[in-house]
Amino acid sequence: MDLESLAAVRESALDYFERSRALQRRRERMERPGGDEAEGWQDIAALGWTGMLAPESAGGLALGLDGAAEIFRAAGEHAAPEPLLAVAGLGALLLARLDTPGANALLAELVAGRSLPALAWQESAGDLSAVPLACGCEPRPGGGVLLQGEKLMVLPGAAASGWLVSARGDDDAVLLWVPRGTAGVIETPVPLVDGSQASNLRFEQAVLPAGAVLADGPAAQEALRHALAAGQILQSAELLGAGQAMLAQTLAYLRTRSQFGKPIGSFQALQHRCVDMFIHLEVAKATLDEVLALAVQGLPAQRLEAEASRVNARCTAAALQASRASVQLHGAIGYTQECDLSLFYKRVLCLSAWLGNVSAHQRRHAVLSGDAEATPGIAEWNGGFPRTADWSAMPEADFRRMVRAFLQQRYPQQLRYLSHRARWSEMREWYLTLSAQGWIAPAWPQSHGGMGLPADKLIAWIEELEQHGVARAPDQGIVMIGPLLIQHGTAEQQQRFLPRILSGEHVWCQGYSEPNAGSDLAGLRTEAMPARDAQGEHFIVNGQKIWTTLAQDANHIFMLVRTDKDARKQEGISFLLCDLRTPGITIRPIHTLAGEPEFCEVFFDNVRVPAANLVGRLHGGWSIAKALLGFERIFLGSPKQSQYALGQLARLAQARRLFADPVFAQRFAALRLDVLDLSAAYTGFANIVRAGKPLPASVSLLKIWASETYNRIGALLVEAGEEQGAVAGDQVLDGQTFNVLSPLIGSTAAMIYGGTNEIQRNILARQVLDLPV
């Protein structure tokens, strides 16, 4: 569905749940356990939602997973009590997939609202397998079949009209319809914490007619796998909606509740807790959007199951984190049944336990994704290496093979998996190789000499470079000042600087931070006074910059300077470009925690800068700076560093056979999903940049998630390295350079530079969540 149609579906769903008092009905359900869950089902049928996933030929709406997900997210935002997921989700998905006469008849009854079939598939606690092991059926001598076995956690409970049962036949899986009232069916009600009800079923030689067999063999198995995976995706949408509702309630409470004479939402500790809720939910939403986009295109069963586990693990974790944090931030009132949070808290507990919990889905994703950590072999590619192409039209698999082959043929072997920040002297030849190929600026528009990669290919580019161990060249020109000049520079500045960035003639560094003006960037004191002489208008710059990355390798610097000492802090700042070879500039390297001279101090003593090097208007540098900070944060939020660190961790794990340790394997699986879902969030912001739109303040979440994921990977790498975690310098692993400490130390810096993660949380709290100062 297009975005406009999806928005209309969502608006309609929100309106219905509001008008139908869904939240109040959930409360009534909890206060009267065992009530009729079918109450109000005819209203759902009148809306057509019983057939939201049924084809039009069956009287359904055929909304598809993306359209249905909007209804489920709205249901989550209102803790809706209807058994939507169990019936209109799982039941309808299975019957529609079977497309047999018996299944079609049942689907028609479901769509009409006359039947609520419940899917009975699970045989043991925590089992995600769609293969029935113990529940079996066999032909009955007089005709029909006999069903024997047990099923757990069948939803809905007492409201079900009957059960869609998976069983093991003589040779393969069988799907059966067992109407309520069938002799030999023993139903045990299971009250759930959110007021709904499940059933455990025992079939004791239940006699069924031959027509009860809906499907068997591979068709039955495939339909069941598809229904469960698609249902887990829809469950993710409902969990996301519940988490978003709890965040909204918490923010409203923090803005109005006062203590010590001020709103408690002004307390930084509480703000940061809210920001963490927001970050987890936004990453979950990005993951859901990506998985839905993949699912509606059609995926093989195993890939669909893997993606379902990925998104379910993420949305479940985000909703659980939101539920626990929101209760804590509400204080005592949050612990009461009276508070509406209790309804969401208990609903999330139910959803997070049904159809697989976080750990189960992390494990299943790791298994279904295969040995993704294995080193790729020699890439087979005979298509050449074009300078430009319609990259959007190229299949991703072909694009990856092309990039992989290029790296294997052209990238210097001795520069793979460097443990330190590469210097220009090391990377110059590689930079020039990419420049000559036309691939040095993958995200720049083709009109300015870049590759113009769409977001999916940009992610693939990043992943292939990291997997091959390609070091990061001094690239401030490519990732920061180039994009800024494309958006804000004059035509003359673009013509003068962009080609020289692409060719490697100009190597750039950033001059933002100063002593006592790091996170408080507007407090900078480096002055640039306008002047005029026989050579024309210019500025005279005096002052100092600090933490300037690889300034000793650069020949140009872009910087913020104060051009009006009497104006308000942000209003007297301008943005200048300066040649570092100009007289009066002194550069002094600073050694980092890793012992590398990565940062520098840069001193300016009466340095002359041409007025033509002013970007934007005089005293208007703060708006330029914010735009550049957006580029910096999306760059710092790139999955590059985390992918590299995860690759290093996988290398060590393979060498030491750590994947055989279930504790390590679980931790690795969780981190791998953190990196995958970072890529999903990154893609959304990359699309904003490609569209030429300004980045929103919410881009700060990328920097936080990326750097803290990087840090967690680095910490596990040191732990897994055992004694190697105390060894200084590079080591050798499988014939390649390896440094156990490098990712941990590098990630420590990543959480500081570009604005500390605490400052990023402050930005999100005030500019995005609108919490009081």
Side-chain angles (χ1 to χ4, degrees):
M1 296 179 71
D2 58 52
L3 292 177
E4 185 176 347
S5 298
L6 290 173
V9 171
R10 173 170 168 76
E11 184 178 349
S12 173
L14 289 171
D15 177 67
Y16 168 74
F17 290 124
E18 184 70 31
R19 286 188 294 103
S20 67
R21 300 168 51 253
L23 197 60
Q24 181 60 33
R25 289 187 291 114
R26 171 66 70 179
R27 181 175 294 283
E28 293 168 359
R29 179 72 49 79
M30 291 180 65
E31 293 172 352
R32 293 187 291 107
D36 184 8
E37 288 191 77
E39 182 183 350
W41 193 247
Q42 288 304 315
D43 293 334
I44 296 294
L47 292 167
W49 291 354
T50 48
M52 66 175 90
L53 291 161
E56 293 179 359
S57 59
L61 297 178
L63 293 182
L65 277 184
D66 51 352
E70 293 298 340
I71 295 175
F72 279 94
R73 184 155 70 100
E77 290 177 62
H78 288 82
E82 293 86 359
L84 279 171
L85 181 58
V87 179
L90 293 173
L93 283 163
L94 179 66
L95 293 171
R97 193 76 174 182
L98 290 175
D99 194 22
T100 61
N104 289 341
L106 287 170
L107 182 60
E109 291 293 297
L110 187 159
V111 171
R114 292 188 293 267
S115 176
L116 283 77
L119 178 58
W121 66 279
Q122 190 171 1
E123 297 186 1
S124 61
D127 182 21
L128 290 181
S129 171
V131 179
L133 299 176
C135 188
C137 66
E138 59 185 29
R140 185 167 173 260
V145 295
L146 292 175
L147 178 62
Q148 181 78 28
E150 296 182 356
K151 296 292 182 179
L152 305 177
M153 281 294 286
V154 180
L155 277 76
S161 307
W163 303 279
L164 299 164
V165 181
S166 62
R168 178 175 43 82
D170 291 336
D171 301 315
D172 212 332
V174 179
L175 287 172
L176 303 157
W177 170 242
V178 182
R180 177 174 289 281
T182 299
V185 179
I186 300 173
E187 180 180 10
T188 303
V190 180
L192 302 180
V193 71
D194 67 348
S196 59
Q197 186 186 82
S199 292
N200 290 339
L201 303 176
R202 185 191 306 166
F203 305 102
E204 295 186 349
Q205 294 294 304
V207 179
L208 302 171
V213 177
L214 300 177
D216 59 12
Q221 191 66 53
E222 188 276 336
L224 181 59
R225 292 177 67 184
H226 178 272
L228 287 171
Q232 286 155 353
I233 294 172
L234 296 175
Q235 183 188 53
S236 304
E238 187 172 350
L239 282 159
L240 175 63
Q244 290 174 324
M246 288 184 284
L247 174 60
Q249 291 173 51
T250 303
L251 292 173
Y253 183 76
L254 295 187
R255 294 185 190 112
T256 56
R257 171 69 168 160
S258 291
Q259 289 283 279
F260 309 108
K262 58 171 60 177
I264 62 174
S266 64
F267 302 157
Q268 188 181 70
L270 304 190
Q271 290 183 344
H272 287 192
R273 291 288 297 273
C274 283
V275 166
D276 287 341
M277 292 168 64
F278 170 76
I279 292 173
H280 279 267
L281 291 166
E282 286 297 297
V283 173
K285 184 178 184 302
T287 305
L288 178 62
D289 289 344
E290 183 170 279
V291 170
L292 284 169
L294 291 170
V296 297
Q297 294 172 11
L299 293 174
Q302 181 169 315
R303 176 74 188 283
L304 183 66
E305 289 172 326
E307 293 298 332
S309 278
R310 172 191 165 198
V311 69
N312 200 281
R314 177 62 55 209
C315 290
T316 299
L320 285 170
Q321 192 254 16
S323 68
R324 294 160 186 169
S326 60
V327 169
Q328 177 69 25
L329 294 177
H330 273 75
I333 189 65
Y335 188 64
T336 66
Q337 185 83 353
E338 175 186 343
C339 181
D340 283 346
L341 277 179
S342 66
L343 308 178
F344 292 93
Y345 183 93
K346 293 180 179 180
R347 180 60 181 156
V348 166
L349 284 177
C350 278
L351 287 172
S352 66
W354 183 43
L355 302 182
N357 62 23
V358 173
S359 296
H361 280 296
Q362 289 172 343
R363 288 193 298 270
R364 186 172 78 159
H365 181 272
V367 171
L368 294 178
S369 298
D371 190 10
E373 293 75 44
T375 302
I378 301 300
E380 297 182 5
W381 178 253
N382 300 315
F385 305 121
R387 287 181 56 87
T388 61
D390 183 0
W391 305 116
S392 297
M394 179 181 284
E396 184 175 319
D398 289 349
F399 179 79
R400 286 181 179 272
R401 280 196 295 271
M402 179 192 72
V403 173
R404 199 174 301 156
F406 184 82
L407 296 174
Q408 291 171 353
Q409 295 177 30
R410 306 284 183 87
Y411 187 73
Q413 184 72 13
Q414 73 275 13
L415 295 180
R416 294 185 70 188
Y417 301 110
L418 291 184
S419 61
H420 60 274
R421 179 69 181 270
R423 302 289 300 276
W424 177 247
S425 57
E426 297 174 283
M427 299 300 295
R428 180 177 179 277
E429 291 305 317
W430 172 242
Y431 190 104
L432 296 180
T433 297
L434 287 176
S435 176
Q437 180 62 34
W439 291 3
I440 191 61
W444 287 21
Q446 291 186 354
S447 58
H448 287 285
M451 291 180 73
L453 293 183
D456 60 331
K457 299 303 193 302
L458 183 59
I459 291 292
W461 170 271
I462 291 170
E463 289 175 349
E464 292 299 328
L465 264 63
E466 293 306 317
Q467 195 166 46
H468 193 75
V470 176
R472 177 187 171 190
D475 56 4
Q476 299 277 10
I478 296 295
V479 301
M480 295 189 71
I481 191 61
L484 182 114
L485 289 176
I486 289 171
Q487 283 199 6
H488 298 280
T490 64
E492 187 275 332
Q493 288 170 338
Q494 292 172 356
Q495 294 167 7
R496 181 154 52 107
F497 292 110
L498 295 183
R500 291 175 172 84
I501 293 172
L502 295 172
S503 69
E505 179 183 343
H506 286 180
V507 180
W508 288 82
C509 62
Q510 180 187 41
Y512 268 24
S513 295
E514 299 182 7
N516 300 317
S519 297
D520 181 18
L521 188 57
L524 63 88
R525 292 180 293 179
T526 295
E527 297 180 356
M529 295 296 102
R532 179 191 293 271
D533 60 16
Q535 297 179 348
E537 295 182 354
H538 56 274
F539 295 92
I540 300 297
V541 180
N542 286 281
Q544 175 188 357
K545 297 292 180 180
I546 197 169
W547 315 127
T548 307
T549 302
L550 297 182
Q552 70 271 51
D553 289 354
N555 51 33
H556 282 74
I557 186 172
F558 53 91
M559 58 182 174
L560 290 177
V561 291
R562 187 160 298 285
T563 48
D564 187 345
K565 294 184 290 186
D566 299 323
R568 290 177 54 195
K569 287 170 64 174
Q570 289 92 341
E571 294 178 359
I573 293 173
S574 298
F575 193 98
L576 284 184
L577 312 176
C578 177
D579 190 326
L580 284 173
R581 296 161 293 193
T582 306
I585 297 176
T586 303
I587 298 173
R588 186 180 75 82
I590 301 171
H591 284 74
T592 68
L593 187 64
E596 299 290 337
E598 185 175 341
F599 301 130
C600 294
E601 291 179 286
V602 184
F603 300 90
F604 299 86
D605 184 10
N606 291 323
V607 175
R608 187 181 188 279
V609 178
N613 286 14
L614 173 70
V615 179
R617 61 181 179 83
L618 185 64
H619 312 319
W622 188 247
S623 60
I624 301 293
K626 289 194 294 183
L628 189 58
L629 285 171
F631 290 126
E632 181 180 42
R633 284 165 191 157
I634 193 172
F635 173 73
L636 297 177
S638 158
K640 272 187 176 184
Q641 292 176 314
S642 294
Q643 287 171 344
Y644 169 77
L646 193 70
Q648 296 294 81
L649 181 58
R651 288 177 63 202
L652 181 65
Q654 289 165 347
R656 296 195 169 185
R657 300 182 180 178
L658 295 178
F659 287 116
D661 176 359
V663 175
F664 176 87
Q666 182 77 51
R667 295 172 70 183
F668 184 90
L671 289 169
R672 185 178 176 202
L673 288 178
D674 287 344
V675 176
L676 281 174
D677 298 342
L678 166 63
S679 296
Y682 178 83
T683 297
F685 287 102
N687 283 330
I688 294 174
V689 173
R690 279 190 48 80
K693 299 176 182 177
L695 283 164
S698 56
V699 72
S700 288
L701 74 87
L702 267 189
K703 197 262 187 183
I704 296 170
W705 187 270
S707 60
E708 293 180 4
T709 297
Y710 184 25
N711 185 254
R712 289 192 297 273
I713 297 170
L716 182 55
L717 182 58
V718 170
E719 181 182 332
E722 297 178 317
E723 290 81 4
Q724 282 183 286
V727 176
D730 291 346
Q731 301 156 59
V732 176
L733 182 69
D734 296 335
Q736 295 288 343
T737 300
F738 188 79
N739 190 307
V740 171
L741 289 169
S742 178
L744 179 63
I745 293 175
S747 66
T748 302
M751 294 187 292
I752 297 171
Y753 57 60
T756 67
N757 285 10
E758 289 70 29
I759 292 297
Q760 305 301 330
R761 284 181 166 88
N762 288 347
I763 292 170
L764 290 169
R766 293 168 188 173
Q767 297 185 26
V768 178
L769 302 185
D770 195 29
L771 286 169
V773 178

